[in-house]
Amino acid sequence: MSKKIVSLLLGVSVMAALLGGCGGKESGGESSRAEQASGDETKTGGEEASGGEVKTLEFMWFADGNETAAMRKVLDKYEELHPDIKVELVEVPYADLNEKLMMAITGGEAPALSRVTGSPLFFDAALEFTKESFDKGTWVKSVWLGGEDAANLFTSGQAAAHIGGSWLIASYSDSITDFEWSVTYLPYSKVRGNCTGYKQFMGFEGSGYEEEAKELLAYLASAESASYYSESLYISPRLDGAQLEYTAGSEQFAILNEDAAAATSASTIDWGYPNFSTAYNTVIINTVKEYIAGNITVEECMAEMDAAADNLSQ
């Protein structure tokens, strides 16, 4: 049987190392580390271990594909280099991340670090293009309005393309066997390039481990941790990231890195406002759904999002 070639439009996902300004202290949580056997105790900053004090940094985390295994490998190496540091990955579902993180922060128990996400920026022309594509049937409206999984539609051959991210390359390389696929560029009007910082690492002031968090963030962006990006198949935030030897999808990552290089500063505005972005993202999703459903005009959609931005920034 001849194979069909289909395309996957991938939004670039780059991790940026940011240091936030939220207060808190170290707290416990469910660790993703398999080696924590029953009876073993996690050593915290105030406990003594053989050879000296061991500080445990809680890292709140969500993952796609094989990211956790790849990150654990990097963190294990970091712990070897820093025997006084232990990093506890506390994995939570992506859908629960913002709520759990904000509860920890407001409760005075912020983690030392967390993985966070930003918000996409919308403009009326992009919104009109999106709704027109849904109305014509080019795009599947039920993905936005009914919660249907775009990735499942693509892998099952029911959709010719979908917008995703670099995290899908690993799973698609293994799971798609009955057709050929690749990545291509996102549609654009005047400026090409997409968001280059939707998944970010952040440290928190007041955790008691600010300096340790800074050192770990710097390490995660260093050449020593490059294996995380090449093995988990993520775009590296380093300027030489395009030179990485990925374990799969080298052709796809060449396109993604080229697209990342074309991104403008507008795609990173929300990096500096993580708490704003978390709240604003909910407004965007609900308002855009109303527009796609035809309940409001594009002008009303933009006005609601502008009003929400004004309120949240006060």
Side-chain angles (χ1 to χ4, degrees):
M1 180 178 68
S2 62
K3 294 183 177 180
K4 297 184 297 180
I5 299 179
V6 295
S7 297
L8 171 65
L9 285 71
L10 291 180
V12 179
S13 180
V14 178
M15 298 182 178
L18 304 177
L19 187 68
C22 299
K25 64 180 180 179
E26 183 189 29
S27 65
E30 295 180 5
S31 174
S32 63
R33 302 186 64 178
E35 64 268 23
Q36 284 187 326
S38 60
D40 290 345
E41 293 182 357
T42 301
K43 292 183 172 59
T44 59
E47 298 176 348
E48 292 293 325
S50 59
E53 182 182 3
V54 175
K55 301 176 182 178
T56 298
L57 308 185
E58 181 184 338
F59 193 160
M60 191 173 290
W61 167 267
F62 67 91
D64 294 291
N66 66 334
E67 284 187 282
T68 297
M71 176 56 75
R72 187 67 260 171
K73 183 177 179 180
V74 170
L75 294 177
D76 287 345
K77 179 63 176 178
Y78 185 79
E79 291 175 353
E80 290 179 10
L81 298 172
H82 302 80
D84 61 328
I85 298 294
K86 295 294 181 184
V87 184
E88 180 185 11
L89 278 179
V90 181
E91 188 164 349
V92 299
Y94 171 75
D96 299 336
L97 173 70
N98 289 338
E99 180 181 357
K100 288 183 178 295
L101 182 58
M102 293 309 297
M103 287 179 63
I105 292 172
T106 56
E109 302 234 345
L113 304 98
S114 179
R115 192 178 198 183
V116 297
T117 61
S119 307
L121 297 177
F122 281 90
F123 301 96
D124 52 359
L127 286 169
E128 289 175 336
F129 172 79
T130 299
K131 187 175 187 303
E132 182 181 351
S133 299
F134 281 129
D135 292 342
K136 288 182 176 179
T138 307
W139 293 4
V140 182
K141 188 178 291 188
S142 59
V143 171
W144 263 84
L145 301 184
E148 193 160 12
D149 193 320
N152 287 341
L153 291 175
F154 178 72
T155 57
S156 63
Q158 299 179 68
H162 82 98
I163 298 176
S166 59
W167 61 88
L168 294 169
I169 293 179
S171 62
Y172 284 6
S173 296
D174 295 332
S175 62
I176 298 179
T177 59
D178 54 351
F179 60 85
E180 295 179 0
W181 64 276
S182 187
V183 306
T184 189
Y185 304 105
L186 289 166
Y188 72 98
S189 176
K190 296 180 180 180
V191 179
R192 183 169 68 81
N194 55 59
C195 178
T196 59
Y198 197 69
K199 293 183 178 179
Q200 307 150 14
F201 297 146
M202 177 175 289
F204 294 90
E205 292 181 356
S207 68
Y209 299 118
E210 291 86 354
E211 292 305 314
E212 291 83 358
K214 288 179 181 179
E215 291 178 8
L216 177 54
L217 289 171
Y219 181 79
L220 292 175
S222 69
E224 287 78 6
S225 65
S227 65
Y228 166 72
Y229 303 99
S230 60
E231 292 182 14
S232 66
L233 300 184
Y234 261 80
I235 298 291
S236 169
R238 291 176 53 80
L239 294 177
D240 59 358
Q243 308 304 317
L244 288 180
E245 294 184 7
Y246 292 94
T247 56
S250 296
E251 178 182 345
Q252 288 88 346
F253 274 97
I255 295 175
L256 289 173
N257 276 293
E258 182 180 345
D259 210 33
T264 68
S265 59
S267 67
T268 62
I269 291 175
D270 61 339
W271 284 12
Y273 308 93
N275 294 332
F276 170 86
S277 297
T278 298
Y280 194 44
N281 190 50
T282 301
V283 176
I284 289 176
I285 292 174
N286 293 335
T287 306
V288 172
K289 282 184 177 179
E290 287 294 299
Y291 172 59
I292 292 174
N295 297 329
I296 59 176
T297 65
V298 66
E299 291 80 12
E300 291 171 332
C301 181
M302 292 296 297
E304 287 190 25
M305 289 192 289
D306 287 344
D310 290 340
N311 292 332
L312 290 170
S313 62
Q314 291 179 357

